Amino acid sequence: MSSHRLSRRGRYLAWSITGVVVAAGAGIAAQTSMATTALPAQKTYTGRAFDACTAPSLAAMKAWNTGFYGAAAVYIGGKNRGCAQPNLTASWVKSVSSLGWKLIPLYVGAQPPCQSGSNPEKLTASTAASLGVSNANDAVAKASALGVKIGSAIYLDMEPYDITNKACNDAVLTYVRSFTKTLRAKTYRAGYYGFSSSSAKAIATATDRTNLPGNLWYALWDKKNTTTTDWPWDPKLFTDHSRGHQYMVNSKETRGGHTITVDRDAWDAPVALVG
């Protein structure tokens, strides 16, 4: 959600540092997202999803199972994960999946060296590749412990940063490629969450598509429940059920007596394989 790791104010400050606005950028090449190892069939969900900083209780997930949302993003790990996860267990994953919920695993890995604020884990040019490997291995371990099976997509959370800072951006791309390559070697699909003005734009507009994630979840808070009409980049990119769009944040909603502050997402991309 808007407080994945940074406060909403912190995110806007990060946006202002980039010196850019939410705007279009043209991709140059179609995505290259084939894994080197054969993957199980993808489980795709198309519809409305939500993400909340803390995984809701099982009772809340039962109350919210009204059909308005069909999927929920959950923060499975990462040193920069901002909220405790008392409910997020293998038993919870199994129970909510049996109710019909689709789950979107999200990992808050190392953050850019040029990002404002202090973080428990930041990458550097010299550590980017090794952190990508170690973070991906940890993400797979965390996912597996929750019952999230091989073939699932794990989404790497990258918060806003100044992508015009070439050294910083190059380090981030090195980290992301390392993370993605390691996930694929372990037979998991790679996804990426970022901002259309910065971190997602860096992925969508990279001229070298080698080892970039095959699924892109972009934050563009325009309140439009779509993954197509407001897609800011080359329309050939991230097609065939590979897009998520966070379109609204900090929406306080009550269903069945359970109130949760969520961010809303339009989803057409892989989700977790559970069972």
Side-chain angles (χ1 to χ4, degrees), residues 11 15 22 193-197 200 217-221 244-246:
R11 285 190 169 195
W15 278 19
V22 178
Y193 167 89
F195 282 68
S196 62
S197 58
W217 177 7
Y218 61 105
L220 176 57
W221 302 336
H245 172 206
Q246 186 184 71

Side-chain angles (χ1 to χ4, degrees), residues 59-273:
M61 293 297 284
K62 288 179 178 178
W64 275 51
N65 193 23
T66 64
F68 184 79
Y69 294 110
V74 290
Y75 290 87
I76 64 170
K79 291 183 179 178
N80 290 312
R81 182 173 65 174
C83 293
Q85 302 295 336
N87 300 315
L88 189 55
T89 64
S91 175
W92 182 92
V93 167
K94 184 176 181 180
S95 295
V96 299
S97 296
S98 70
L99 294 172
W101 285 102
K102 310 301 185 293
L103 297 177
I104 303 164
L106 189 59
Y107 187 87
V108 192
Q111 295 298 304
C114 60
Q115 193 179 76
S116 62
S118 58
N119 303 301
E121 186 173 54
K122 276 191 174 184
L123 62 95
T124 66
S126 61
T127 63
S130 60
L131 276 175
V133 172
S134 61
N135 279 187
N137 284 333
D138 185 54
V140 168
K142 295 292 196 300
S144 180
L146 290 170
V148 174
K149 299 166 66 174
I150 61 171
S152 300
I154 298 176
Y155 293 81
L156 176 64
D157 183 323
M158 189 64 67
E159 297 295 326
Y161 68 96
D162 181 5
I163 63 173
T164 67
N165 182 328
K166 186 177 185 303
C168 183
N169 194 55
D170 286 348
V172 170
L173 291 177
T174 295
Y175 168 78
V176 172
R177 289 189 171 99
S178 178
F179 186 95
T180 298
K181 185 177 180 180
T182 305
L183 280 190
R184 290 175 179 166
K186 291 183 172 292
T187 330
Y188 281 79
R189 290 178 164 86
Y192 182 92
Y193 167 89
F195 282 68
S196 62
S197 58
S198 60
S199 45
K201 183 178 181 179
I203 299 299
T205 61
T207 55
D208 180 3
R209 312 299 304 165
T210 306
N211 286 327
L212 291 183
N215 305 282
L216 186 61
W217 177 7
Y218 61 105
L220 176 57
W221 302 336
D222 58 3
K223 299 184 179 180
K224 295 180 181 179
N225 179 25
T226 179
T227 61
T228 55
T229 59
D230 67 353
W231 176 253
W233 305 292
D234 187 332
K236 297 188 297 296
L237 287 170
F238 300 97
T239 55
D240 194 22
H241 308 293
S242 297
R243 298 177 185 173
H245 172 206
Q246 186 184 71
Y247 66 89
M248 183 187 297
V249 293
N250 295 333
S251 177
K252 190 174 183 179
E253 303 175 15
T254 301
R255 289 176 172 77
H258 291 265
T259 301
I260 310 172
T261 298
V262 302
D263 296 343
R264 290 189 180 186
D265 303 282
W267 203 260
D268 184 28
V271 293
L273 292 162

Side-chain angles (χ1 to χ4, degrees), residues 17-43:
I17 289 170
T18 66
V20 292
V21 296
V22 178
I28 295 185
Q31 73 167 321
T32 302
S33 60
M34 295 300 292
T36 56
T37 307
L39 289 169
Q42 175 173 300
K43 184 175 184 179

